[in-house]
Amino acid sequence: KTATADWLMSQTKHRPQVAIICGSGLGMLADTLKCQDSFAYADIPGFPQSTVQGHAGQLVFGELKGKTCVCMQGRFHMYEGHSLCKTTFPIRVFKLLGVETLIVTNAAGSLADGFQTGDIMIIKDHINFPGLVGLNPLCGPNDDKFGPRFPAMSGCYDKGLRCLAMEIAKELGVASVLQEGVYAMVGGPNFETIAEARLLHRLGVDAVGMSTAPEVVVATHCGLRVFGLSLITNKVVKSYEDTESVNHEGVLEIGRLRSHTVQQLPNSLSYF
Ligand SMILES: O=P(O)(O)O[C@@H]1C[C@H](O)[C@@H](CO)O1
């Protein structure tokens, strides 16, 4: 990680305070950065590679409303075959670069009855299903340089940033599509069966996806302030009568349709 951070600092003058991870189809979050320096993951020493459509695979540095940001256009998922250590590798690099705030975004399917496709959910909390059975990026020897052996996760989605996002959404006139809820990470890459969807619903999950939780665990461990957003790209099928089914192209399409709205919140938040 140190070698990667040193290499990046030798290649760009930007010293980011905010890092943004773009979810599936949400790579446009980087487009508004000014004075950009971009690096393909393939050219960054030690960086893993993106293999999923909708994840461009580059790191973009730039200025956003006077704050310096670094944006991951493309994240790493456990289902791609990456170890969780690789999946979360960029988070510790960001910490070494001086980042203080992490904004994570993802595409997710909704289970909550009141949610609509195209809604944006502020993540209040998560259920890390892989983590609960020991697939946790913090497994193995603890690196005390980054954080403690047993980090608390009870406040991992910063309350101040969540409240601020609500206020900003009202000012932007997008409060009607804003929700708040619990995100659950499943391993993927298959979407849920109906029985699995019903189980998640009964457990109080509002939205389900295949990422984010490991990144947030590692970020919280090393003391980053975290804000998370899910774009609801589909309703998870919960009924045997329902003939619809979800696919990745549909997920990306909703990202394209909602790109403007999704862009507004991280843009405004990174200012604080
Ligand atoms: O990277 P995210 O979590 O946004 O990607 C979601 C989960 C799967 O990778 C993919 C399914 O369409 O979108």
Side-chain angles (χ1 to χ4, degrees):
K1 288 140 212 152
T2 310
T4 305
D6 288 347
W7 184 87
L8 287 166
M9 285 195 279
S10 73
Q11 301 293 312
T12 176
K13 290 202 172 61
H14 291 300
R15 294 292 175 265
Q17 298 134 292
V18 178
I20 302 175
I21 302 181
C22 305
S24 283
L26 299 173
M28 73 294 172
L29 292 173
D31 293 348
T32 42
L33 296 185
K34 305 268 184 317
C35 310
Q36 292 191 3
D37 275 340
S38 303
F39 304 95
Y41 292 166
D43 297 334
I44 307 174
F47 233 68
Q49 304 306 311
S50 279
T51 66
V52 187
Q53 191 202 348
H55 291 262
Q58 59 172 3
L59 210 52
V60 184
F61 290 78
E63 302 288 331
L64 198 60
K65 302 193 177 175
K67 281 258 166 143
T68 307
C69 299
V70 55
C71 203
M72 276 179 77
Q73 274 185 327
R75 64 144 57 82
F76 310 113
H77 305 85
M78 203 173 78
Y79 65 74
E80 292 173 80
H82 297 298
S83 68
L84 284 167
C85 184
K86 282 260 174 197
T87 302
T88 56
F89 178 90
I91 308 294
R92 287 185 169 174
V93 172
F94 296 155
K95 176 74 182 177
L96 294 172
L97 292 176
V99 164
E100 291 161 0
T101 303
L102 176 70
I103 299 180
V104 279
T105 67
N106 58 55
S110 71
L111 294 139
D113 294 321
F115 287 14
Q116 304 300 327
T117 296
D119 281 355
I120 295 168
M121 183 185 87
I122 295 175
I123 306 177
K124 181 178 187 177
D125 203 351
H126 73 220
I127 299 176
N128 180 6
F129 279 106
L132 290 179
V133 294
L135 287 170
N136 187 312
L138 299 179
C139 284
N142 184 56
D143 192 340
D144 297 332
K145 190 163 85 252
F146 286 101
R149 170 78 289 186
F150 300 108
M153 286 294 142
S154 46
C156 58
Y157 295 90
D158 187 83
K159 197 170 177 183
L161 288 176
R162 286 190 283 121
C163 294
L164 191 61
M166 285 288 185
E167 292 307 314
I168 291 172
K170 281 182 203 149
E171 280 169 30
L172 294 171
V174 297
S176 61
V177 297
L178 206 67
Q179 308 280 0
E180 191 173 56
V182 173
Y183 172 89
M185 179 202 177
V186 294
N190 61 281
F191 293 106
E192 296 65 42
T193 63
I194 292 173
E196 287 163 351
R198 290 179 171 194
L199 172 73
L200 293 170
H201 187 229
R202 289 183 69 153
L203 290 176
V205 171
D206 296 302
V208 58
M210 306 174 194
S211 67
T212 302
E215 296 153 359
V216 172
V217 165
V218 170
T220 304
H221 175 253
C222 68
L224 299 186
R225 201 159 66 131
V226 175
F227 176 75
L229 273 188
S230 294
L231 173 65
I232 303 301
T233 53
N234 57 286
K235 289 187 179 192
V236 181
V237 177
K238 297 199 291 266
S239 158
Y240 290 98
E241 312 309 317
D242 201 330
T243 51
E244 300 227 337
S245 71
V246 55
N247 60 66
H248 187 56
E249 287 65 38
V251 167
L252 298 182
E253 178 62 17
I254 298 297
R256 277 190 287 275
L257 288 174
R258 302 301 277 177
S259 58
H260 180 65
T261 317
V262 180
Q263 225 159 25
Q264 286 174 306
L265 273 178
N267 281 3
S268 306
L269 269 179
S270 52
Y271 178 66
F272 293 92

